[in-house]
Amino acid sequence: AQAVRKQQRPARINVKVVIILLGVVVLIGAAVVVGHYVRKRAVAQNAFTAGTLALENSDWTKACKELKLYLSKYPDDAETLAKYAEANLAVRPVDPKYLGAAIGAYRRLLRLRPDDAQTYRRLAKLYYRIGDYGECAYLCEQRLQTVEDHKLSLQLGRALIAQRKDQEATGVL
């Protein structure tokens, strides 16, 4: 009977072991998070350096690749977005993939700097160059609702004429 009682003894939790295990799990989790941010920063810094060097050497394709990698880590860096857009436009021969990337960069740049007239003009000109006259006109109209810009008015007129909206174009010009 006494042997049976020893087997039915309630189990006890070793509190010290549980605390140590929790501490180890927390430390491992913290190390993983810190490691992620350190690696992200290192990858981004290497890509930024390589992209900047490629820009200086007019190696547009490599600059696009490296700056894209950097921007995947830091998408709100407005100055790098502008450089990335220009690098995409400089790639020869012209490739729709790079034009699309330039448009995307300019659109993101407009979200970051909504009052940047130069970015509006560049994006409107790019839409016009690729034949997207509707988007060009829309972009110009959006900007002209808040600010008077003669260059964008002219671009809007061109886009409307290209869409055969001569009456509207006459009103703009």
Side-chain angles (χ1 to χ4, degrees), residues 68-141:
K68 181 179 181 180
L69 178 59
Y70 172 79
L71 288 168
S72 72
K73 309 295 183 199
Y74 297 101
D76 294 336
D77 184 343
E79 298 219 3
T80 305
L81 270 169
K83 290 177 186 178
Y84 176 64
E86 292 302 316
N88 277 290
L89 292 176
V91 171
R92 295 293 178 255
V94 176
D95 184 338
K97 172 177 85 170
Y98 292 108
L99 290 176
I103 288 171
Y106 280 135
R107 290 180 68 85
R108 181 152 188 90
L109 199 53
L110 281 180
R111 278 188 236 109
L112 296 173
R113 300 190 303 205
D115 296 329
D116 187 357
Q118 191 65 26
T119 302
Y120 271 98
R121 289 184 195 130
R122 287 179 177 163
L123 185 55
K125 184 178 179 181
L126 183 55
Y127 277 132
Y128 187 84
R129 280 179 39 199
I130 65 171
D132 193 347
Y133 306 120
E135 195 64 32
C136 176
Y138 175 77
L139 183 69
C140 292
E141 288 169 347

